[in-house]
Amino acid sequence: MLIFTLPLVHAVEPLYLDKESCSSQFQACQCVEKGCFPTFSSRIDIISPDHKKRLMKGAWEPSCPVPIDELRQVHLLHWTEDGTVKKGELVVAASVAHHVSQVFQKLYEIRFPVHKMQGVENYGGSDRLSMEDNNTSALNCRVVKGTQKWSEHSYGLAIDINPKWNPWVKGKRFDPKNANLYVDRSNYREGMIRSGDPIIQYFSDIGWKWGGNWRSAKDYQHFSRSGR
């Protein structure tokens, strides 16, 4: 049974299920007086041939800097802003898969909401479309905008979390373009990431750094192992 031992900072209120509904949808459930909700679960898989075909629709190709056998698919549960629990997936480097799972378990325990979580191949590899859809993702074999350098996402060593709610900001410019309501970081809403929030410490504990600490542009959605 999952027991909350961490502070529920800015936690969403669960949309409770009856025991039968919860048990039929999820591996395990925790029940309280109000009802039941899923216990966190995750699974790490190698990239299957069928999944490789899917990734080649925009997330990965043989010319990418990380071989397919060095990637892993992480299946996990996450809360959403409406208090429901959804199944999500991230593709990351095999070397960090376990640590990434640990971070998202901690986020689950404090009920930090993630709007949605699916591979960028569902957006044809378009970072713009994925961000505009507020999709949390990891692997995306692409160069850094305006350069010829591989993005950290190309190695499966970076994750963008709730990108619409946590945009890239530099001066009066921001990305994605539909994130105008979230540029003002003092106007806090659930799922935003600000200095001092637990999520930053969770990633720091596994050696990852937050783009919100960058000196010039601020990339509030971005966490990476290298800090780039």
Side-chain angles (χ1 to χ4, degrees):
M1 178 180 293
L2 180 152
I3 299 174
F4 291 123
T5 58
L6 299 172
L8 299 181
V9 179
H10 303 303
V12 296
E13 179 65 20
L15 183 63
Y16 293 101
L17 303 171
D18 62 79
K19 187 173 183 179
E20 183 177 353
S21 296
C22 191
S23 298
S24 66
Q25 297 177 59
F26 301 98
Q27 278 186 341
C29 296
Q30 178 178 350
C31 297
V32 294
E33 186 176 346
K34 292 182 179 180
C36 302
F37 57 89
T39 303
F40 179 82
S41 65
S42 66
R43 189 180 79 247
I44 299 172
D45 290 339
I46 63 172
I47 305 300
S48 68
D50 285 343
H51 190 196
K52 178 180 177 180
K53 291 178 182 177
R54 283 199 288 124
L55 293 177
M56 291 181 69
K57 294 180 179 179
W60 181 91
E61 58 184 32
S63 63
C64 292
V66 58
I68 198 72
D69 61 358
E70 293 181 11
L71 295 171
R72 294 293 183 269
Q73 182 181 27
V74 182
H75 303 268
L76 50 85
L77 297 182
H78 64 89
W79 292 98
T80 67
E81 66 273 21
D82 61 6
T84 60
V85 173
K86 300 293 185 183
K87 298 175 182 179
E89 68 171 59
L90 294 169
V91 174
V92 298
S95 60
V96 301
H98 180 67
H99 285 155
V100 166
S101 178
Q102 288 180 323
V103 168
F104 278 89
Q105 179 172 3
K106 291 180 179 179
L107 293 178
Y108 188 90
E109 290 172 354
I110 64 168
R111 300 203 298 267
F112 177 86
V114 175
H115 179 66
K116 67 190 306 183
M117 187 187 300
Q118 60 184 27
V120 294
E121 66 273 9
N122 294 282
Y123 302 89
S126 172
D127 187 44
R128 176 182 61 83
L129 292 178
S130 180
M131 287 195 299
E132 288 178 352
D133 200 29
N134 205 23
N135 178 55
T136 293
S137 65
L139 179 71
N140 188 0
C141 189
R142 58 178 174 82
V143 297
V144 178
K145 190 175 181 179
T147 76
Q148 295 300 312
K149 296 181 179 180
W150 289 113
S151 163
E152 293 300 285
H153 291 279
S154 303
Y155 301 89
L157 296 173
I159 300 174
D160 289 342
I161 297 177
N162 295 334
K164 179 180 174 181
W165 300 340
N166 298 293
W168 173 92
V169 179
K170 185 175 184 180
K172 294 183 178 181
R173 293 185 291 152
F174 58 90
D175 199 24
K177 301 306 180 186
N178 61 345
N180 54 300
L181 296 178
Y182 301 92
V183 173
D184 179 3
R185 307 308 287 172
S186 66
N187 184 20
Y188 183 83
R189 302 165 192 228
E190 303 297 344
M192 290 172 61
I193 302 170
R194 301 183 303 174
S195 295
D197 285 350
I199 184 174
I200 300 169
Q201 184 61 52
Y202 299 160
F203 273 101
S204 178
D205 288 344
I206 66 168
W208 288 39
K209 299 177 182 179
W210 179 46
N213 286 329
W214 293 354
R215 290 186 178 180
S216 181
K218 302 292 186 181
D219 202 354
Y220 295 110
Q221 66 197 260
H222 186 77
F223 291 89
S224 67
R225 192 175 69 171
S226 70
R228 298 192 300 272

